[in-house]
Amino acid sequence: MRCYADTSWWLAYKCRRDVHHAAAITLFDRQPEAEVFWTPWQRVEVFNCFYQAERIGLVGRGEGRQLMRLLEQEVRLGYWPHVEFAWTDAVRTACDLAAEHSLKMPTRAMDLFHVAIAIEIAADSFLSFDDEQNALAHASGLSLFRLRA
């Protein structure tokens, strides 16, 4: 199973104090063959999320940078397959998704971009703890992989 995980999953998976941590870590128990892709967009979003988690005290001082270093090493080792995508195509797909869904449901621009990238990299499944983003992903034809503790 080829998975695209949004920022809410990455933070929950990496941060023990996140409210969804217990659920996030069940992924490989439930789907041992799951591949969670890492894209350049995740690098921006997830690393910023780690900074913000440190800023608000969800992780300790210096822990955000440590999480980033560990994640980069895991990507280099192949734990999280690195996948590139065409940025222009992803923007076009996000615009198409907005035209199709934004009058029917609440959509944030970054949610559109996450879903567009998942489509562009041909992910089989979408991982998120964000209900609105999951609704958009589902409406866009992506299969959802729901994790619960």
Side-chain angles (χ1 to χ4, degrees), residues 82-94:
H82 184 267
V83 178
E84 295 284 335
F85 61 91
W87 289 84
T88 303
D89 292 344
V91 170
R92 285 185 185 121
T93 299

Side-chain angles (χ1 to χ4, degrees), residues 9 34 46 51 93 96 103 112:
W9 182 84
V46 173
Y51 285 123
T93 299
D96 291 345
L103 290 174
L112 290 165

Side-chain angles (χ1 to χ4, degrees), residues 12 15 33-34 39 41 47 49 55 82 86 91 108 110 120 128 136 148:
C15 178
E33 76 284 355
T39 71
W41 180 241
F47 286 9
C49 187
R55 184 184 64 79
H82 184 267
V91 170
R108 294 178 297 261
M110 289 301 105
E120 289 298 318
S128 177
L136 174 64
R148 302 284 184 240

Side-chain angles (χ1 to χ4, degrees), residues 42-79:
Q42 265 105 353
R43 189 173 199 283
V44 173
E45 277 261 308
V46 173
F47 286 9
N48 186 62
C49 187
F50 290 163
Y51 285 123
Q52 293 301 303
E54 185 173 327
R55 184 184 64 79
I56 66 170
L58 188 60
V59 300
R61 186 171 178 197
E63 194 176 348
R65 288 187 193 277
Q66 181 182 15
L67 288 169
M68 288 178 235
R69 282 192 302 275
L70 291 171
L71 187 49
E72 283 183 322
Q73 186 171 8
E74 292 168 357
V75 171
R76 279 193 299 276
L77 292 171
Y79 295 158

Side-chain angles (χ1 to χ4, degrees), residues 96-134:
D96 291 345
L97 293 171
E100 186 175 347
H101 301 291
S102 290
L103 290 174
K104 302 174 203 167
M105 63 178 59
T107 54
R108 294 178 297 261
M110 289 301 105
D111 290 351
L112 290 165
F113 203 55
H114 277 293
V115 172
I117 294 168
I119 291 168
E120 289 298 318
I121 66 171
D124 297 324
S125 192
F126 193 83
L127 292 167
S128 177
F129 292 106
D130 179 329
D131 291 335
E132 289 178 354
Q133 190 173 52
N134 278 330

